[in-house]
């Protein structure tokens, strides 16, 4: 079984292959329109067969797209993550263009090897040199550069909107309101006002960027999606089955704690403090749909969001890091590594009936605190 992170990465790579495949197919049709009935390329003299090209070029484009997608998701997006939008587009596009030109040169060499003439160095290099010194190569390189730019804009907008959001807009999944059963986690930084006052607004914002970046890894690993950032608060969501599977919604919280603890030296060195957080979880039916005209957004509405926020607001009162609703507690199947206990019935603001709230703690953390 693939991990949630691997599934997400595969889903992010596939559109690169699809885009390159479509543009390569368009190129084949344009090439046929330009060359007409010619049986060779005027610039290189290499044989031209439309029937072969209409298969080979899109397949090569698909492969190239998948390769660039793997490079983008696995490496380049991480290397350039702290660059501005424009610099990321320019730097990465330049690197991809170099890779594609090398790929083109290699393809031309392989094509020359298949020619019936003698395979001398001159006979192999001549078609490559003739192609890259011909005006036709300029048009092809510009066409490829446009593909790279389109894929880069796709990658950056997809990253900005969040996983799956851009495809949901394209497919119109939420064009009409849809009801879904979802788990929501409202995660809030502890003592954020005091931290902001001590650090100052600029350094606090820098810390917030590092904090959200570090926590995002656990969201990916445990199949969650980041619904919104609100100040120092992160709202995470799961479809009910995804959140319950392997206790993803609970494991995510404790994975976040482990991630921050592993970065203690970094935060203390940069900001003189290690941020901590608290969270509240609840599940229920929500309505999801597109909203807005000047700025479109996919939003969720329903009592479950307000209730999750109210539960998180009780964390300080009960001196707890993680609180969940009675409804969610009943359907969780937690292993012995976790301890769940009731903190009592509470009348949450906006509700007519009381709700029993439960705290969840990791047994190893609990035993360490008792020993100390």
């Amino acid at each position: 079984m693939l991990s949630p992170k691997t599934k997400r990465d595969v889903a992010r790579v596939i559109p690169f292959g699809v885009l390159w495949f479509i543009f390569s197919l368009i190129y084949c049709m344009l090439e046929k329109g330009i060359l007409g009935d010619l049986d060779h390329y005027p610039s290189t003299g290499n044989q031209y067969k439309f029937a072969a090209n209409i298969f080979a070029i899109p397949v090569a484009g698909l492969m190239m797209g998948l390769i660039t997608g793997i490079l983008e998701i696995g490496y380049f997006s991480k290397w350039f993550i702290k660059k501005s939008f424009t610099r990321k587009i320019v730097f990465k596009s330049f690197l991809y263009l170099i890779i594609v030109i090398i790929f083109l040169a290699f393809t031309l060499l392989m094509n020359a090897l298949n020619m019936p003439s003698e395979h001398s160095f001159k006979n192999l290099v001549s078609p490559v040199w003739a192609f890259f010194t011909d005006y036709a190569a300029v048009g092809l390189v510009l066409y490829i550069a446009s593909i790279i730019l389109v894929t880069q804009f796709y990658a950056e907008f997809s990253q900005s909107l969040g996983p799956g959001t851009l495809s949901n807009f394209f497919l119109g999944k939420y064009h009409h309101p849809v009801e879904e059963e979802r788990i929501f986690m409202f995660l809030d930084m502890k003592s954020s006002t005091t931290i902001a006052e001590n650090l100052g607004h600029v350094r606090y914002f820098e810390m917030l960027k590092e904090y959200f970046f570090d926590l995002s890894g656990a969201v990916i690993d445990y199949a969650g999606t980041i619904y919104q950032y609100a100040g120092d608060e992160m709202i995470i969501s799961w479809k009910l089955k995804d959140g319950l599977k392997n206790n993803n919604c609970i494991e995510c919280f404790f994975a976040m704690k482990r991630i921050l603890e592993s970065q203690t030296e970094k935060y203390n060195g940069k900001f003189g403090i290690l941020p901590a957080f608290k969270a509240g979880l609840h599940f229920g039916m929500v309505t999801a749909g597109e909203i807005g005209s000047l700025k479109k957004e996919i939003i969720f509405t329903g009592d479950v969001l307000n209730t999750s926020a109210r539960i998180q607001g009780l964390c300080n009162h009960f001196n707890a890091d993680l609180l969940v609703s009675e409804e969610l507690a009943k359907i969780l199947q937690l292993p012995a590594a976790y301890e769940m206990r009731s903190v009592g019935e509470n009348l949450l603001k906006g509700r007519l009936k009381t709700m029993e709230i439960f705290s969840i703690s990791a047994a190893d953390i609990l035993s360490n605190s008792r020993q100390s």
Side-chain angles (χ1 to χ4, degrees):
M1 292 291 291
L2 297 176
S3 68
K5 183 180 184 301
T6 303
K7 288 180 180 178
R8 178 178 178 268
D9 287 345
V10 169
R12 292 172 68 194
V13 167
I14 289 173
F16 286 86
V18 172
L19 285 169
W20 274 83
F21 179 84
I22 292 170
F23 276 104
S24 298
L25 195 61
I26 293 170
Y27 174 78
C28 286
M29 303 307 295
L30 292 172
E31 185 181 59
K32 175 62 177 174
I34 294 169
L35 295 180
D37 294 329
L38 290 177
D39 60 357
H40 66 282
Y41 289 97
S43 59
T44 63
N46 287 340
Q47 191 177 37
Y48 168 69
K49 287 184 178 179
F50 175 71
N53 283 7
I54 197 67
F55 172 77
I57 291 177
V59 169
L62 176 64
M63 291 174 59
M64 196 65 226
L66 294 175
I67 290 169
T68 56
I70 291 168
L71 290 173
E72 175 68 25
I73 304 307
Y75 302 98
F76 290 173
S77 63
K78 297 173 185 175
W79 294 349
F80 296 100
I81 195 166
K82 293 187 178 180
K83 298 291 184 183
S84 67
F85 181 88
T86 304
R87 288 190 175 187
K88 279 194 282 188
I89 293 288
V90 171
F91 291 161
K92 289 193 292 182
S93 296
F94 180 71
L95 285 174
Y96 285 128
L97 193 58
I98 291 173
I99 292 168
V100 171
I101 289 172
I102 293 170
F103 181 79
L104 272 175
F106 177 78
T107 303
L108 289 168
L109 282 173
M110 291 299 100
N111 193 37
L113 281 172
N114 292 325
M115 297 290 286
S117 60
E118 181 185 346
H119 294 160
S120 65
F121 178 78
K122 182 179 180 180
N123 286 339
L124 291 176
V125 173
S126 291
V128 179
W129 177 255
F131 173 77
F132 282 108
T133 55
D134 189 85
Y135 184 77
V138 177
L140 179 59
V141 169
L142 286 174
Y143 186 79
I144 291 171
S146 69
I147 301 174
I148 292 170
L149 284 172
V150 168
T151 56
Q152 284 303 295
F153 273 102
Y154 166 81
E156 292 303 321
F157 279 117
S158 181
Q159 182 77 7
S160 298
L161 292 172
T165 304
L166 192 59
S167 61
N168 286 335
F169 275 123
F170 280 132
L171 297 173
K173 182 178 179 180
Y174 296 109
H175 185 66
H176 298 289
V178 176
E179 284 194 320
E180 295 180 344
E181 205 166 16
R182 283 186 168 268
I183 298 172
F184 283 88
M185 176 194 288
F186 277 65
L187 187 138
D188 187 54
M189 185 187 293
K190 293 182 178 179
S191 306
S192 58
T193 304
T194 303
I195 295 172
E197 288 176 353
N198 291 336
L199 291 178
H201 293 297
V202 174
R203 290 193 65 225
Y204 173 69
F205 189 82
E206 290 173 356
M207 189 196 74
L208 211 56
K209 285 178 67 175
E210 296 270 359
Y211 168 78
F212 284 141
F213 177 80
D214 290 335
L215 296 187
S216 297
V219 179
I220 296 169
D221 291 339
Y222 292 94
T225 57
I226 298 172
Y227 170 47
Q228 281 181 352
Y229 296 106
D232 63 330
E233 189 172 65
M234 180 191 286
I235 305 172
I236 306 161
S237 177
W238 293 263
K239 287 186 177 180
L240 183 60
K241 65 176 183 178
D242 295 330
L244 293 179
K245 185 179 180 181
N246 301 321
N247 297 302
N248 279 333
C249 62
I250 304 300
E251 293 288 354
C252 179
F253 175 85
F254 290 100
M256 287 175 164
K257 290 183 75 71
R258 291 192 296 270
I259 287 170
L260 280 191
E261 287 168 4
S262 70
Q263 299 288 331
T264 300
E265 188 175 338
K266 179 186 78 172
Y267 281 97
N268 284 336
K270 281 187 175 182
F271 309 108
I273 189 170
L274 177 67
F277 54 83
K278 55 191 184 293
L281 285 95
H282 183 46
F283 88 95
M285 196 67 71
V286 294
T287 302
E290 291 180 22
I291 195 169
S293 55
L294 294 177
K295 178 182 180 296
K296 282 191 176 293
E297 191 174 353
I298 295 172
I299 69 163
F300 299 103
T301 61
D303 179 65
V304 60
L305 285 96
N306 292 328
T307 301
S308 301
R310 307 294 185 212
I311 292 171
Q312 183 271 123
L314 293 172
C315 286
N316 288 341
H317 178 74
F318 292 110
N319 193 28
D321 287 342
L322 178 62
L323 294 177
V324 302
S325 65
E326 177 184 2
E327 289 92 334
L328 183 57
K330 284 179 180 178
I331 60 175
L332 287 171
Q333 296 180 339
L334 297 177
Y338 296 107
E339 181 172 312
M340 183 187 296
R341 65 180 180 85
S342 173
V343 297
E345 297 275 345
N346 289 268
L347 183 62
L348 301 178
K349 186 178 179 181
R351 294 179 67 95
L352 299 176
K353 294 182 180 179
T354 60
M355 172 187 286
E356 189 172 9
I357 307 296
F358 290 82
S359 70
I360 298 176
S361 56
D364 56 343
I365 296 174
L366 189 65
S367 61
N368 290 339
S369 65
R370 282 173 178 170
Q371 288 173 7
S372 61

